[in-house]
Structure formats: C-alpha cells, structure tokens
Amino acid sequence: MDRALRHFYKKSYEEKLEALELSGLLDPKECDQLRNQMLDLPHEMGSHMIENFITNYSLPMGLGFHFLIDDQEYTVPMAIEEPSVIAAASFGAKIIGQSGGFKTGDDTRLMIGQVAVENVPHMSEAVQAVEKAADKIVRLANDAYPSIVKRGGGARRIEVRTVQANADRTHDGAEFLVVYLYVDTCEAMGANMMNTMLEGIAPMIQELTRGNLLMSILSNYATEALVHVTCAIEPKYLKTKGWSGQKVRDRIVSAWQFASADPYRAVTHNKGVMNGIDAVTIATGNDWRAASAAIHAYAAHSGQYQPLTRWHVADSGELIGQITIPLALATVGGSIGFHPTAQLAHQILGQPNAQELAHIVAAVGLAQNFAALRALVTEGIQEGHMSLQARSLAISAGATGDHIQYVADQLAQAPKMNLDTAKQILSDLKQ
Ligand code: NDP
C-alpha cells in the first residue's frame, strides 16, 4: 500500500484528499472537484437520463483498501449508505492479502440473447431448419451491429431449444422455440447492441419456424460470463482474542455449511456478499439490477438457493474461499462515459477492462463475506457495527461537524444506543 494512504480512515477529509493526491491515485484537479463537491450530476444530464427528473439521489462513496488481486493492488470505490461495509471489506481484504491475495479464473465473457417464437406448427422440423441456418443467422446478427465486429467482438454462435411452459388451471402449457444468441460485447454490457442484433435475426427465425414471434431480448442470466475468484488464508492470520486461528477457520467452514443447508441463512449470507458487489457496481456506473438478478438466479441454479461463496479447508490447512458468479460488467456504455462520479471510480481503479472489473467486484464480494463470517463466528457482528451505527444515529439526531463523533462516543457508552439517547446527548451538549 502506498505510504501516503496508510491509516486513511484516521485522516480528516482534507488529509484524505492530500493522501489521494500524494499517492497519485487522483490528480490535483480531481481532488479539487471532490473538495468543492463538483461531481454532482448536472440537472440537465439527469433530465436526459430519466423521465420526470426532479433531483439527484446521493449515496456516499468511500474507498476499500488492500485488494491484492493477481498480485496487483487495487483501491476500490464503493457507493453505499450502510455503515461498516467498507471497513469490513477492507479488513477482509487485508487478511486475505497477507496470505497472497485473490486469484482470478481464466474466464470467458459472452452475453446471451433470446428470440422466442410460439405457435410453431412443426417443432422438430423448425428446430432443424434453424440449426441448419446457424452460420447465416450469426452473420445476419453481425451485419445488424458491425461496429462491435470491428472492435473484435460480435455474435459467436447460436443454440436452439424448445421450452415448455407448465399447464395449470389458467394456462394451457404453451411450447416455445427459443434461439439463444451468444455475443462478445467487448467492453460493453451490451444490452442495446444485443437487442439490435436480436431484432436483426428475428424475421429470419420467424420465417424458418413459421411460428409467431413473441419477443427478442437480452437475457440477464449471464451464465457465459461467470467469474471465479479464490483465496487461501493461513490460519495464523485468523486468530482473534480468545480464538485460535484453526478454530476460527473451522467455524467459518461450519458457517458456510449452515448457509448451504438453510436458505434462511443463505439469503443473509448472500446479502453480505452483495453489500460489496452492489457498492462497486453502483460506484462504477454499472447496471446493478442486472447484476443482482443474474447473481441471485445463479445462487439457485442447483435447484436450491445456495451461498454464493464456498469455504473449505485445504490439505495444507489453509482456509480456501471461492466465489463464482455471473457478472457482465462494463467499462463503456450506459451512463458510464458521462457520469462524473462513475468516471472518477474507473480512474481510481486504474481503468481496468470489463473482465478485470468483474474480478475486482467478485473479490470485494468474497472479502465482504469473509469479514462477515469471521465476525459472526467470533465476537459477533454487533461489536464491530456499533461504533459505526452510533455515528449514523448521531447524524440522524441532528449532530453536525465535531458533534457527530462526540455524540457517537457518548452513545457507545450509554446503556441504550438509540435515537432518543442520541438526541438527549446532543441537546445536553448544546446547552
Ligand atoms: P450502449 O447502448 O451504451 O452501447 C455501448 C456503447 O459503447 C456503444 O455505443 C459502443 O459503440 C460503445 N463502445 C465504445 N467502446 C467500446 C468497446 N470497447 N466495446 C464495446 N462497446 C464500445 O450500452 P449497452 O449496449 O452496453 O447497454 C447498457 C445499457 O442498457 C445500460 O444502461 C442498461 O441499464 C441498459 N439496458 C439494460 C437492459 C437489461 O439489462 N435487460 C435492457 C435494456 C437496456 P458502437 O455502437 O460504436 O459500437
């Protein structure tokens, strides 16, 4: 870690900006933009982005540290309203970094689109006709969006499947012929380019199948864009007050087994993973609804909703953590190119490409999960949360400036930590 950034959390806001400048992560102009709150989305831009715009909705963005991924260290911007998430991610990453950091998989990245046809008169003949025309369909898709082909991407292949809907009291159980188009969208998430390609091939598919075209649309279930990140933690780094490293390691594995057996726990386990994933996805201007939809569907791909991470003990005694998730993130497209804070986030990350960004995001999810499990199986989650929660309560009670930390410190010692107590402390202070 750059010396200037050490103990970042202890610095005043101005000292933080100076450290960012000294470390070279940001230049003086970018620091000035932060200092003077100039990165707010201009109203005119907001009006063009969405309908019926009235104002911006702000989220705080902070930095996660110690992310050593494939031997390269990253400082990770995270946009989130929940206290303690960034501290926990950084803490988890620091311990993982002491054991060599995160390693990423050799992953592929293709987006999937669907053209669905119904009322097909002769299903097996239709499937054969589409399969026979596969090369032609791929060419047609590429002709519909030539610029992505010029960039080295484009449609790669198709698959044809029949999909049978369940019959029930109100539905007759329709059968669909579905063409799956696999596209390399390069640095973009590719929703719009995919939809353009699908609309380009849809008339041909309708003609070949003699059915009725139902829809042509990207699938957010990005199973051809799976990312894999692992870590191996030496037990000596897991030791806490009162718990040996081996004991903590084994309890983390038990916590994972519990989550894999009980969806009530798995959902909360995954909520913690998503704390990190969403925060970076949002900070980098990516479509977090798309990422969340895909990730939760993938959590249930075995038929039972499962934890997104996996923890086990290696023969060497190390604690092995793994995460595998679909993540079709982008470094261009959507609002990424013009949203001022998203641009700053990519700059802080060192302008990774789309695949590197997905690995960073998955690593943050794994670090987040590790920190949460470690806390849960040792001192419990509340001890770490309380001081940050106290600050939120102090702000909610109306404290500003130096009063925030004063009220938070008093709250931490009060018999009841709640909003009434915070208000009382603040009113006593002001008298
Ligand atoms: P865009 O429509 O913005 O397309 C990407 C743009 O980036 C293209 O104009 C492309 O240029 C340009 N580009 C520049 N460099 C590259 C490069 N290296 N690789 C790839 N493209 C490059 O974005 P997407 O098609 O990615 O769509 C994402 C947006 O769509 C998001 O805002 C998302 O919220 C939204 N969306 C999502 C849906 C879903 O998830 N189901 C559905 C509909 C919309 P060129 O055209 O010259 O190739």
Side-chain angles (χ1 to χ4, degrees):
M1 176 181 217
D2 191 286
R3 281 179 69 85
L5 295 170
R6 281 194 201 152
H7 305 301
F8 193 77
Y9 66 99
K10 288 186 182 163
K11 296 181 193 295
S12 68
Y13 184 67
E14 189 50 42
E15 287 168 346
K16 286 187 172 91
L17 295 184
E18 281 164 18
L20 288 170
E21 194 179 322
L22 269 175
S23 69
L25 265 185
L26 296 181
D27 64 27
K29 190 173 150 234
E30 288 158 342
C31 287
D32 268 344
Q33 287 175 329
L34 288 175
R35 192 175 281 114
N36 301 318
Q37 299 188 27
M38 287 160 66
L39 291 179
D40 209 19
L41 197 65
H43 277 196
E44 201 205 333
M45 212 179 264
S47 302
H48 289 300
M49 284 172 75
I50 60 160
E51 309 73 40
N52 304 339
F53 171 86
I54 55 165
T55 187
N56 291 323
Y57 178 93
S58 300
L59 276 179
M61 183 169 96
L63 298 177
F65 289 103
H66 311 298
F67 282 90
L68 186 64
I69 305 171
D70 291 336
D71 300 320
Q72 187 175 338
E73 188 162 335
Y74 293 91
T75 301
V76 185
M78 301 173 73
I80 188 160
E81 86 295 349
E82 186 178 336
S84 88
V85 168
I86 295 176
S90 303
F91 175 75
K94 189 173 183 179
I95 293 186
I96 291 168
Q98 286 165 343
S99 290
F102 303 88
K103 304 288 173 215
T104 66
D106 186 15
D107 301 321
T108 56
R109 183 182 181 279
L110 292 179
M111 296 303 294
I112 304 171
Q114 299 178 294
V115 177
V117 184
E118 63 180 350
N119 304 324
V120 175
H122 302 289
M123 192 54 96
S124 58
E125 282 171 26
V127 170
Q128 273 179 20
V130 177
E131 281 174 343
K132 219 169 139 196
D135 290 346
K136 228 173 174 178
I137 293 169
V138 168
R139 273 201 303 277
L140 197 57
N142 284 328
D143 289 347
Y145 211 97
S147 57
I148 198 64
V149 181
K150 278 199 201 118
R151 294 182 199 283
R156 294 289 182 249
R157 65 176 199 275
I158 62 156
E159 272 171 34
V160 194
R161 289 182 216 156
T162 53
V163 175
Q164 179 76 54
N166 289 333
D168 62 20
R169 266 190 312 121
T170 46
H171 301 96
D172 58 2
E175 193 178 23
F176 304 96
L177 181 147
V178 186
V179 177
Y180 293 76
L181 180 71
Y182 295 86
V183 179
D184 178 350
T185 58
C186 296
E187 287 297 300
M189 175 210 182
N192 294 315
M193 58 179 76
M194 172 66 87
N195 293 340
T196 305
M197 285 182 165
L198 294 171
E199 284 177 12
I201 64 173
M204 185 179 189
I205 289 164
Q206 169 149 298
E207 199 184 307
L208 287 166
T209 60
R210 288 194 235 132
N212 298 331
L213 179 69
L214 183 64
M215 66 172 75
S216 310
I217 183 75
L218 163 98
S219 167
N220 286 110
Y221 194 24
T223 52
E224 295 292 312
L226 291 181
V227 293
H228 301 79
V229 172
T230 60
C231 64
I233 308 170
E234 291 176 45
K236 67 179 176 189
Y237 297 120
L238 295 170
K239 195 168 170 292
T240 66
K241 265 187 252 161
W243 300 90
S244 74
Q246 278 82 0
K247 190 79 190 159
V248 175
R249 175 197 67 190
D250 294 346
R251 284 171 64 81
I252 288 176
V253 173
S254 295
W256 177 81
Q257 286 179 314
F258 170 33
S260 91
D262 180 357
Y264 282 87
R265 174 60 208 145
V267 170
T268 320
H269 180 108
N270 289 346
K271 189 274 179 184
V273 175
M274 296 309 289
N275 274 342
I277 288 177
D278 280 345
V280 194
T281 306
I282 292 170
T284 54
N286 270 279
D287 185 335
W288 73 93
R289 290 88 53 205
S292 291
I295 290 170
H296 287 294
Y298 191 72
H301 79 280
S302 67
Q304 182 180 334
Y305 189 87
Q306 284 288 306
L308 294 163
T309 59
R310 195 182 166 83
W311 295 94
H312 71 274
V313 179
D315 292 343
S316 58
E318 289 167 313
L319 174 67
I320 307 295
Q322 298 166 308
I323 184 165
T324 300
I325 44 173
L327 256 187
L329 298 183
T331 60
V332 298
S335 64
I336 297 170
F338 58 82
H339 192 293
T341 320
Q343 286 187 325
L344 189 85
H346 285 267
Q347 157 81 9
I348 291 170
L349 283 167
Q351 307 292 359
N353 66 30
Q355 191 67 317
E356 288 161 349
L357 178 61
H359 284 139
I360 294 166
V361 170
V364 175
L366 187 59
Q368 203 80 59
N369 179 238
F370 164 65
L373 293 183
R374 182 186 167 280
L376 275 171
V377 301
T378 55
E379 78 260 22
I381 210 90
Q382 276 311 80
E383 191 173 311
H385 266 234
M386 278 319 208
S387 62
L388 292 159
Q389 190 60 27
R391 286 224 308 266
S392 290
L393 282 171
I395 296 168
S396 302
T400 53
D402 293 346
H403 286 180
I404 296 174
Q405 197 53 52
Y406 176 84
V407 174
D409 290 345
Q410 296 295 309
L411 259 180
Q413 287 162 28
K416 273 195 189 147
M417 190 193 280
N418 57 27
L419 190 58
D420 279 349
T421 318
K423 283 180 178 165
Q424 189 57 52
I425 296 168
L426 188 62
S427 113
D428 292 349
L429 179 68
K430 284 181 176 169
Q431 271 168 17

